[in-house]
Amino acid sequence: MYGLVLARHQRFPDIKTKGIASVPTLVILTSEESHYSIQKTAHWLGYGTDNVIKVKTDKNGKIIPHDLEMQIVECSRAGKIPIAVNATVGTTVLGAIDPLDDVADICKKYGIWMHVDACFGGSLIFSETHRIRLKGIERSDSIAWNAHKMLGAPLQCAIFITRHENLLQECNTTSANYLFQPDKYYDNAYDTGNKSIQCGRKVDAFKLWVMWKARGDEGFKERVDHLMDCARYFKESIDGREGFRLVLQQFESSNVCFYYIPKSMRGLEEDKEWWDRLYLVAPRMKKLMVFDGAAMIGYSPLKTMGNFWRINFGCEPQPSYKEMDTIIGLFEKYGQDLD
Ligand SMILES: *Cc1c(COP(=O)(O)O)cnc(C)c1O
């Protein structure tokens, strides 16, 4: 929401006073696998959800740059103004990371604001091994990152970053000088109420500050590396194991997506009927696991892929190989004998 309100303020500052009807239709481009918060923003900020253009993704869930460019050209031809492109670092289901340098090139070419939704995958920046996947993020106009996801800060702890100094202030101030007195005894740049949407709020940033003080860059790096190592261990352990089937061989974030095939369904012809049956397995297994108090693991449908398991690891509490083995055992316990 912050990214998309800044994008339009930079280009059309008069919207603040005159409203969105004073400009041509604005559109937002984002991948078809991006987070639903873009839709909500389009509604709340008055863009309208029809003006969120869903750009195609490849089989790994990444935005297709060529389709992005085509859609931009098409919008402009139709008299609409592409105001922002949202790229995702760690899509919700597959954990895909959009090709950020390609998106940045396109945004630069057409003069469009580049926002990066790094809510989930942004924490990879702490890892020397994995941060390469975020290459190009430094060219963005704004970034959303959640310390309450992969890093494990208590809910909620969301960070918004922009390279445009003063724009948050210009965009969001209502000159409420009766609260944010300009003649205070301290620098009133600390009065975040002039830059943000809320008035009263918790000091969520404090949680990240304390974690960072306690762990340091080194501690975050170790935790992110360890988490990714556990995800890799999990993936390698189920790859080729009876009953398990990976959705993708490569995962870019810590998500591992897979099907679990009960014994009664193994070795049969995998026709449409078989897949329809398999899609019912995940919700049934989930119910059994939850009612037994064993585990709460998510499953997701995606495009034409039906329901598959999406396991998503976090840094806190620190996962272990032993835990990965336990989880694999739970799938076998609850799924093996389903019909
Ligand atoms: C979780 C998530 C969000 C929403 O973040 P909240 O701050 O928890 O509402 C947005 N985008 C992505 C990719 C996410 O994973």
Side-chain angles (χ1 to χ4, degrees), residues 35 37 88 90 92 117 119-120 146 148-149 158:
H35 192 261
S37 49
T88 309
T92 309
D117 175 354
C119 282
F120 174 57
N146 278 343
H148 66 239
K149 293 262 172 89

Side-chain angles (χ1 to χ4, degrees), residues 19 71 82 106 123 133 148 202 229 243 245 247 280 283 335:
Q71 300 270 17
I106 293 170
S123 302
R133 301 174 197 203
H148 66 239
K202 295 200 295 182
D229 187 49
R245 187 180 299 173
V247 172
L280 301 175

Side-chain angles (χ1 to χ4, degrees), residues 74-87:
E74 216 161 278
C75 285
S76 307
R77 229 181 256 145
K80 298 176 181 178
I81 299 180
I83 197 79
V85 172
N86 171 62

